[in-house]
Amino acid sequence: MVNKYEARLSTERMLPLVFKMALPAVAAQFVNLLYNMVDRIYIGHIPGIGTEALAGVGVTTSIIILISSFSAIVGGGGAPLAAIALGQGDRVRAGKILGNGFILLILFTIFTSLTVYLFMEPILIFTGASERTLIYAVDYLSIYLIGTIFVEITTGLNTFINSQGRPAIAMCSVLIGAVLNIALDPIFIFGLNMGVKGAALATILSQACSALWVLAFLFSRRASLPLERKYMKLDRRVVISMFALGASPFIMSSTESLVGFVLNGNLKMFGDIYVSALTILQSAMQFGSVPLVGFAQGFVPIVSYNYGQGDKQRVKDCFRIVVTVMFSFNLLLMLFMILFPSTVASAFTSDTQLIDTVRWAMPVFLGGMTIFGLQRACQNMFVALGQAKISIFIALLRKVILLIPLAFILPYFMGVAGVYAAEAISDAAAAICCTLLFLWQFPKILRRMQRS
């Protein structure tokens, strides 16, 4: 029997359905982003050490992204496959995907946390920590690693709640953690005088509450696709299918970390002030890209479910709405940041030298992001349609094939500006390539779906 929340994925009018599914996820991602930025805002204003502490925590960002990217294999690969299975009426396969995903998240946590903990200082130095900023990076990361399991569960399983047509429940899991973190930050950082350690402690306590919320729902009778022990035994075919489709979102996320290693390492040669500036620039970029992630979390279950049912027209209708909204939103937000960079920088720091650095670097860094909404729409459509190979290529194109080589080449011609420009050029080129590839492949995918 199909649950009423799942049924609406294939019956409700498309425009209101997309927003009904996407807006809670977008709101959750906005709040999630807010509390990440609040961390940095508070840290940047710690008296006497704010700029160095901000650089130290900024260096840990690359490692944290790499750790959490493993959850994308489950959340980004498993959830669309579960939605397709639900659309096909195969609830046993959907249950196995969720159960296997839960076990994988535990294994990923053990592997990543132990590896980073054992080699923490060498990794941080490799990612751009200097003698002045290393102490703050170690203080933050050593506490954050204790709560890795909570982050993995929250980010990896929350998308399965969306796949059941319950975006409001998924939104609450993020809101709980975000509100708690915003409240605890000033208490731990300034009230208890814990500095960056307090920021890390606030984060893991907040994420623990979010993880408990997610698990409480998935183990309850309210879930139409519950998390059941009988489906937790690893199934090789299920795991391989999750890795195949989840490789794309994993690469998208993990290469952000790899790029952070490269950019921080190159900028460190020019001075810590440029590493601090990158922390602010990446926060500004996240302010535009994270809501797109939330919108994707809303529309991907709709596409996957209707793809599983073979409804060609609803898949096309959903895409038209998605590409219009994601492109327009991203363009307007990026233009605002490019035109008013000092306003953005002032939220993170009162250091005039750092604000001046961000003012000239922001337009260089974010120029290519103005059209990035096109890539987010098309790439997530490929994932929703189960197109693993194409999704992997697009994920590799932006960061590995384009950005990393450019980050090494351009500084020889442009100095420190070349490091920032590498991001813009790769973003624009990848967005154009992804859009053209989608326009070529999408009709073929629909024809194959109709024949099957």
Side-chain angles (χ1 to χ4, degrees), residues 200-274:
L201 182 58
T203 297
I204 65 172
L205 290 175
S206 304
Q207 288 292 337
C209 293
S210 292
L212 289 174
W213 174 272
V214 171
L215 291 176
F217 174 78
L218 290 176
F219 277 115
S220 74
R221 294 182 178 181
R222 293 183 298 159
S224 60
L225 178 63
L227 184 55
E228 300 179 80
R229 289 182 60 186
K230 64 181 179 180
Y231 294 136
M232 291 183 187
K233 182 179 180 180
L234 292 180
D235 183 313
R236 184 173 60 87
R237 289 175 298 178
V238 170
V239 171
I240 289 174
S241 65
M242 272 197 286
F243 268 88
L245 189 59
S248 173
F250 170 75
I251 291 170
M252 287 173 63
S253 182
S254 62
T255 51
E256 293 286 347
S257 171
L258 179 61
V259 167
F261 296 162
V262 173
L263 296 184
N264 282 322
N266 285 351
L267 290 172
K268 185 175 69 172
M269 296 187 294
F270 295 97
D272 286 339
I273 189 73
Y274 298 108

Side-chain angles (χ1 to χ4, degrees), residues 358-375:
V358 173
R359 182 166 56 234
W360 67 258
M362 185 80 78
V364 177
F365 189 76
L366 293 183
M369 280 291 291
T370 52
I371 61 171
F372 190 65
L374 292 174
Q375 175 166 342

